[in-house]
Amino acid sequence: MVTEEDKIFAKNFRIDDLSDVPAGLPRHRKLKQNRVVSKKDASVDTADAIYSGGYVSSGVDNSVKLENFYEDFKVDVISCTETDMEFDMIGIDAAFANAFRRILIAEVPSMAIEKVLIAYNTSLIVDEVLAHRIGLIPIAADPRLFEYLTENDQPNEKNTIVFKLHVKCPKGQPRLQVLTNELQWLPNGSEFLKETGGSTSTSNSNSKPKTYTSFSCSQDSLPEYAESPITPTYLDILIAKLSPGQEIELEAHAVKGIGKTHAKWSPVGTAWYRMLPEVVLLGEVEDEKAERLVKVCPQNVFDIEDMGNGRKRATVAQPRNCTLCKECIRDHDLVDLVDLRSVKNHFIFKIESTGSLPPDVLFTEAVKILEDKCELVLADLS
Amino acid sequence: MTYPRVTLAGYSIPHPSLECVNVRVQTTGDPAREVLKDACQELMLMNRHVRSVFDKDVSEFKEEQAHLKAEEERKNAEEEELKKQRDLLESMDIESN
């Protein structure tokens, strides 16, 4: 006989409430959820997170929650110098990591030479090729101190940096190399006079002659550049070679821009990320197999451990070095013993800066840019 | 897509030369515009969080580096002091001999 009590009990019964029923996803499903497994032929389970209701039948809520993100997100800085940086981002989605990478490469602004005013060029390098080369030179100037130069603006001290290059190879001397250390910074703006044209301008003979830029004050007055001049990041880049008698005289104007317009404005040499590799031995790898495994890995991921009695065993010593080259699973007897996985939400980021800003500042700027984009969309939607 | 109120979210770019993105959001009943706004808001908060955690860790890392460097310099200075003392003692020994 089924009593009322039994009916109420059956209605309210939840199997997950029992103490010995495991909570969350079973282990193999969890593996599918947050690990990419690299098999011999291809990678498996590469799909990103399933939608929020994907695991409802297992009683697991897969929706992304802000509080969870606040708790889980971690950053681990491995190394940080003036030019390179390696750090780990844990608990973040691949979409974010990719967004930061793309913004770093294409949308963080920097200064690069845009206009090259060539007064005299008798070198073997053609004008336009010379201008192209000069444009690609990285300049050590903080782009946050400058504004963009739009079509309606005059080039002035807030949006332009002016360099001068005047080199001549004297006769009787050997061939001369023109390096970036010959680029001199002109803090007072352009020195080339603009042609005013027409004879009606005789009344203005007392005023300052017009140049290609209208600097109202010297850029020396900026505190950052009062002591040290603005120079290219590397002073030994070869621009051109001059034979005796050849001369180059030009002025280069640098402006602010983003990598999307032209790669010369990309502030990073490059920026990339990879997922944290996880190498797991699925069984005991002993003696001869262990030695083979250790030898075959080009990154020294595995190591030998003595078990006593002269027997050896392979262990995973440095999984972080693994490049997923899959050499260890080429042999048919090793393929079932090694599992190569990547952790889906742990990214090892590397940023190589070209010198305009240190790499940690570059990353902060990239995140700021993504924030600004969100704000733009929000403002438009409201 | 892992946002609880969303059943479908997608985007498409009709032509690469046009700067235009078509975003489609389908929800479980709430107005789609509101859900999109909330999602953007959360995105912004997540970004701010990323930035603050990153800045904190970088400054901690740099402090550690500075510490380690200071430690090293101190050890080097100590070693040099010891060396000087040793040299002094040796020269005194030679004199007494």
Side-chain angles (χ1 to χ4, degrees), chain A residues 189-207:
Chain A
S190 173
E191 286 172 359
F192 286 175
L193 299 174
K194 223 175 194 174
E195 291 169 8
T196 39
S199 51
T200 51
S201 50
T202 45
S203 53
N204 290 336
S205 51
N206 290 342
S207 59

Side-chain angles (χ1 to χ4, degrees), chain B residues 35-92:
Chain B
V35 175
L36 187 57
K37 270 206 282 193
D38 287 343
C40 276
Q41 190 72 24
E42 274 202 30
L43 192 68
M44 231 168 65
L45 293 174
M46 281 168 91
N47 271 317
R48 290 221 185 108
H49 184 66
V50 166
R51 204 161 28 120
S52 64
V53 171
F54 181 77
D55 283 338
K56 196 163 63 96
D57 273 333
V58 167
S59 51
E60 273 176 19
F61 180 80
K62 289 203 172 145
E63 260 181 44
E64 254 189 69
Q65 295 293 81
H67 256 306
L68 288 169
K69 210 170 161 198
E71 279 274 327
E72 239 189 83
E73 283 178 13
R74 198 174 50 83
K75 274 198 205 138
N76 285 351
E78 274 181 16
E79 271 186 34
E80 275 196 37
E81 271 291 319
L82 280 171
K83 200 164 168 248
K84 266 195 233 160
Q85 285 184 10
R86 246 179 276 145
D87 288 342
L88 201 63
L89 281 170
E90 271 180 31
S91 62
M92 283 185 3

